[in-house]
Amino acid sequence: MIRLSDLALPLDHASEDLEAAVIARLGLAAGELQRLAIARRGNDARRKNAIKLIYTLDLQLADEAAVLERFADDPHVRRTPDTSYKFVTRAPADYAGPRPVVIGAGPCGLLAGLILAQMGFKPIIVERGKAVRERTKDTWGLWRKSVLDPESNVQYGEGGAGTFSDGKLYSRIKDSRHLGRKVLTEFVKAGAPEDILTEAHPHIGTFRLVTMVMSMRETIEKLGGEYRFSTRVDDFELETGEDGVQKICGLHLSTGEFLPASHVILAVGHSARDTFEVLYKAGVHVEAKPFAIGVRIEHPQGWIDTARYGPNAGNKILGAAAYALSHKCSNGRTVYSFCMCPGGRVVAATSEEGRVVTNGMSQYSRAEFNANSGLVVDISPERDFPGDVLAGVALQRRLEELAFKAGGSNYKAPGQKLGDFLEGKPSSEFGVVTPSYQPGVHLTDLAECLPDFVIEAIREALPVFGRQVPGYDHPDVVLTGVETRTSSPVRITRGRDFNSLNTRGLYPAGEGAGYAGGILSAAVDGIRVAEALALDLVGAAETATS
């Protein structure tokens, strides 16, 4: 088949126009186009009055070789790539070696566990939180009753932090092996809508993620995998071999059990602060890394739709509009939108008592009244938290404690109207924008819980963004604090073989280890690490029997 990319048609085109456009674009004669399938569809909304849909298509033609020769210099006409997943190895039929252990059941751990199970290695998945149904109840307990379960919340539990998000499934990672396609295909098998395979910016939403995660767990268990929920890894048993190499040999669990393990995928999320501390004390190589801090910003979704789509706002094909903004400030900082959630809500996302953290969430429909996004400022270890490897964790905690106090010490979030924020005065009443955060927003001055350089940078960026997205800097827009869990504050460094830099058999992976940012990239990283681990297991098994 031939892949034709970057084919633009008007937003309101008829279905038959697509075939006609292909024939015209390639100069085909009658009957030459035998089959057409949409591989990807996005939109170009730069001209609001003339929005176009942009297609990537897979075509079956009568003489594909001739067309490829005719368009040899056209980068938009190529052979359709083979996106099918190919297992790098499989467990021998008589495999009796060690079972791999996956710590964490978020997107990274979930796909790592699935791939290992499909290869026949029967992984053990250890998750400190609860199964997703029970975890959902605990999460709503914080949102509705201000009751936090430190081991079962937005951050901890089956599905990971991505379960309570917009469920975005796109990424800018390099993916020459099309592992992202494997992820999306498995999600569809588990109940995700099929349009995630073709939409340029696919998403699922929280409710569908919950049922998908359950379905994928059932698949892993049917293949011999094992889940251990409400089981935290409290320590790592390491030993130094005769060759002088440090390696992992087991895990000390919160249940009191010691779990022997020689091959462990560390797929903890970006909020596994106690695990970071344990690893660092045990001598595993950990280093500080940059992340970002800021606030959540909320607008009525209709404002964003109109700003992005003009007269086409509300079009069902386009759906709820999103945005991506960035500004380099005069103080050297970059302010940017992060994890933008169209038609969603701001949610309480803390995992520790006495702290407030915000995040964003949407359902598949993206039909709620407000749009929200993180509005964050870049920070780095050298400039902002030098010294201790875990200083970034300490900074996050300090800001979250300040937010807890500024919000009233009851898990309400501190908030401020944008106009008051720019003027540097506390807010006393809401305007036309009603915040969505539960258990509630306490109006105050956000300067009480963020560094001066963050406040300064966001104040500079807001009018700039207002010129790019009309209404963005409306004085009644609500800012809610604090957004601190944008990514992991540490990197658990690994080598080219995916092993920890100094601990054989420990495979750091995903967002918590500093190697991903979002559901899709974390899931892809889980596949890559699982493959490396499996190849090592098979190699060890072959050596033992030779």
Side-chain angles (χ1 to χ4, degrees), residues 104-111 125-133 135-136 153-165 167 187 206 209-214 216-217 227 229 267 269 511 518-519 522-523:
C108 179
L110 181 61
L111 265 295
I125 300 174
V126 178
E127 168 56 54
R128 68 187 298 168
K130 298 179 183 178
V132 68
R133 287 290 188 198
R135 174 198 181 196
T136 301
N153 46 62
V154 165
Q155 307 295 347
Y156 301 149
E158 185 181 21
T163 304
F164 300 97
S165 71
F187 283 177
T206 292
L209 275 166
V210 168
T211 55
M212 278 171 43
V213 166
M214 293 172 62
M216 295 177 76
R217 184 212 315 161
Y227 275 77
F229 291 113
E511 193 160 347
I519 293 173

Side-chain angles (χ1 to χ4, degrees), residues 217-231:
R217 184 212 315 161
E218 292 174 1
T219 298
I220 291 171
E221 290 176 332
K222 287 178 181 177
L223 292 170
E226 174 187 344
Y227 275 77
R228 300 191 185 186
F229 291 113
S230 300
T231 303

Side-chain angles (χ1 to χ4, degrees), residues 358-419:
T358 60
N359 195 12
M361 184 183 84
S362 296
Q363 301 300 346
Y364 177 69
S365 64
R366 289 178 167 173
E368 295 191 57
F369 187 71
N370 282 355
N372 76 81
S373 174
L375 191 62
V376 296
V377 179
D378 66 309
I379 61 174
S380 64
E382 299 80 13
R383 178 171 48 177
D384 301 308
F385 48 100
D388 190 275
V389 167
L390 301 177
V393 172
L395 174 61
Q396 288 176 326
R397 283 175 164 159
R398 184 166 69 253
L399 299 179
E400 292 165 14
E401 288 170 359
L402 291 172
F404 182 75
K405 293 175 182 176
S409 299
N410 54 10
Y411 294 108
K412 287 186 177 181
Q416 192 173 12
K417 291 195 298 184
L418 186 148

Side-chain angles (χ1 to χ4, degrees), residues 75-381:
H76 300 297
V77 183
R78 290 287 181 264
R79 285 204 179 276
T80 298
D82 180 3
T83 60
S84 61
Y85 180 72
K86 297 172 180 60
F87 291 98
V88 297
T89 188
R90 291 187 183 273
D94 57 349
Y95 177 74
R99 294 176 69 181
V101 177
V102 179
I103 305 175
C108 179
L110 181 61
L111 265 295
L114 179 65
I115 291 295
L116 288 169
Q118 290 175 338
M119 288 191 287
F121 288 102
K122 301 179 181 179
I124 299 171
I125 300 174
V126 178
E127 168 56 54
R128 68 187 298 168
K130 298 179 183 178
V132 68
R133 287 290 188 198
E134 291 78 8
R135 174 198 181 196
T136 301
K137 295 176 185 177
D138 293 333
T139 299
W140 280 100
L142 174 61
W143 295 350
R144 291 176 173 173
K145 301 178 181 179
S146 299
V147 177
L148 172 69
D149 184 337
E151 293 296 333
S152 181
N153 46 62
V154 165
Q155 307 295 347
Y156 301 149
E158 185 181 21
T163 304
F164 300 97
S165 71
D166 189 48
K168 300 177 188 67
L169 297 176
Y170 52 91
S171 173
R172 294 184 177 92
I173 60 172
K174 294 180 180 179
D175 187 18
S176 59
R177 293 179 54 212
H178 306 286
L179 298 180
R181 184 72 176 187
K182 169 68 171 174
V183 175
L184 298 181
T185 300
E186 293 294 345
F187 283 177
V188 170
K189 288 180 183 177
E194 289 194 11
D195 64 14
I196 68 171
L197 297 174
T198 55
E199 287 300 309
H201 292 89
H203 73 285
I204 299 177
T206 292
F207 288 165
R208 294 201 179 202
L209 275 166
V210 168
T211 55
M212 278 171 43
V213 166
M214 293 172 62
S215 175
M216 295 177 76
R217 184 212 315 161
E218 292 174 1
T219 298
I220 291 171
E221 290 176 332
K222 287 178 181 177
L223 292 170
E226 174 187 344
Y227 275 77
R228 300 191 185 186
F229 291 113
S230 300
T231 303
R232 186 182 60 250
V233 176
D234 284 342
D235 206 354
F236 297 79
E237 189 75 18
L238 308 179
E239 64 180 18
T240 302
E242 295 180 359
D243 56 1
V245 176
Q246 178 174 271
K247 59 183 179 181
I248 191 163
C249 58
L251 306 172
H252 294 275
L253 307 179
S254 59
T255 58
E257 178 187 2
F258 175 74
L259 178 63
S262 62
H263 291 73
V264 176
I265 293 179
L266 187 68
V268 297
H270 58 43
S271 295
R273 295 164 170 174
D274 48 4
T275 305
F276 300 155
E277 293 170 0
V278 169
L279 288 164
Y280 183 55
K281 290 177 181 177
V284 175
H285 192 279
V286 180
E287 59 188 25
K289 63 172 279 294
F291 58 104
I293 56 177
V295 297
R296 278 271 148 186
I297 184 167
E298 282 192 272
H299 304 80
Q301 181 62 47
W303 294 9
I304 305 300
D305 291 344
T306 299
R308 288 278 285 113
Y309 298 145
N312 290 295
N315 186 290
K316 291 183 178 180
I317 294 176
L318 297 174
Y323 59 79
L325 302 169
S326 179
H327 173 65
K328 183 75 171 182
C329 295
S330 56
N331 67 359
R333 307 284 178 166
T334 298
V335 180
Y336 59 96
S337 57
F338 170 80
C339 185
M340 195 271 157
C341 297
R345 63 176 63 185
V346 180
V347 298
T350 187
S351 55
E352 297 178 337
E353 295 178 341
R355 298 186 172 99
V356 162
V357 182
T358 60
N359 195 12
M361 184 183 84
S362 296
Q363 301 300 346
Y364 177 69
S365 64
R366 289 178 167 173
E368 295 191 57
F369 187 71
N370 282 355
N372 76 81
S373 174
L375 191 62
V376 296
V377 179
D378 66 309
I379 61 174
S380 64

Side-chain angles (χ1 to χ4, degrees), residues 460-475:
E460 179 181 324
L462 283 168
V464 176
F465 295 159
R467 292 191 289 273
Q468 297 173 6
V469 181
Y472 195 88
D473 59 345
H474 187 286

